[in-house]
């Protein structure tokens, strides 16, 4: 079973439990949308960018699968379109190969999560 399928099944199960118990387990102020989008991280002082996978996204931050990246500074940039545009981020938490980031200027990012306005990957 693929990781993507396992993740979606887990999210579905969590939603069913929330509905039964009438509780919202999220600590976030905004719910994140489930995403499976390839992105590139630009780390200050590195010549190359690092490919990663965004698993969930809101206008304020994202959950990112690092794909083996071991060292990561507290601040870096993320791009959804091969650096035609980039978004400064701050590392909020890390659990193994999965991180949570906050966007530095949240006013710029509402288009990332509004329906039908997502940046196209090329």
């Amino acid at each position: 079973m693929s990781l993507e399928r396992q993740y979606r099944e887990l999210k579905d199960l969590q939603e069913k439990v929330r509905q039964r118990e009438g509780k919202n387990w999220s600590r976030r102020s905004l719910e994140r949308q489930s995403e499976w989008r390839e992105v590139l991280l630009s780390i200050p002082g590195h010549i190359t960018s690092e490919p990663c996978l965004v698993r969930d996204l809101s206008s304020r931050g994202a959950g990112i699968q690092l794909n083996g990246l071991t060292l990561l500074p507290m601040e870096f940039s993320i791009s959804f379109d091969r650096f035609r545009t980039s978004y400064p981020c701050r590392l909020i938490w890390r659990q193994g190969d999965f991180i949570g980031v906050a966007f530095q200027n949240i006013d710029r990012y509402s288009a990332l999560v509004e329906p039908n306005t997502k940046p196209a990957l090329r």
Side-chain angles (χ1 to χ4, degrees):
M1 182 183 298
S2 72
L3 285 176
E4 180 178 348
R5 184 173 175 196
Q6 288 176 350
Y7 178 75
R8 287 186 180 167
E9 287 178 3
L10 176 61
K11 294 295 274 184
D12 290 343
L13 181 60
Q14 287 174 335
E15 183 60 32
K16 287 177 186 177
V17 170
R18 281 188 202 123
Q19 288 175 355
R20 284 188 185 157
E21 294 185 0
K23 296 180 181 177
N24 184 354
W25 291 356
S26 179
R27 297 175 299 173
R28 299 179 187 104
S29 59
L30 293 174
E31 278 298 313
R32 290 185 176 174
Q33 297 177 4
S34 181
E35 295 282 333
W36 289 89
R37 296 164 71 181
E38 290 183 12
V39 296
L40 294 173
L41 299 185
S42 174
I43 300 170
H46 286 227
I47 296 172
T48 61
S49 57
E50 298 289 336
C52 296
L53 181 70
V54 168
R55 291 188 355 195
D56 52 63
L57 181 68
S58 78
S59 62
R60 293 186 180 180
I64 301 173
Q65 187 74 43
L66 292 177
N67 300 329
L69 184 62
T70 55
L71 296 174
L72 191 65
M74 292 301 291
E75 295 185 352
F76 52 92
S77 294
I78 184 174
S79 178
F80 292 85
D81 58 7
R82 301 206 176 271
F83 292 102
R84 287 184 292 227
T85 58
S86 66
Y87 304 94
C89 299
R90 183 176 19 102
L91 180 65
I92 301 299
W93 57 265
R94 182 171 188 163
Q95 191 172 43
D97 209 28
F98 191 61
I99 63 170
V101 301
F103 296 127
Q104 298 286 21
N105 181 358
I106 61 173
D107 296 335
R108 267 183 77 192
Y109 307 114
S110 59
L112 288 175
V113 293
E114 290 176 4
N116 301 322
T117 60
K118 296 176 185 171
L121 295 177
R122 298 178 196 242

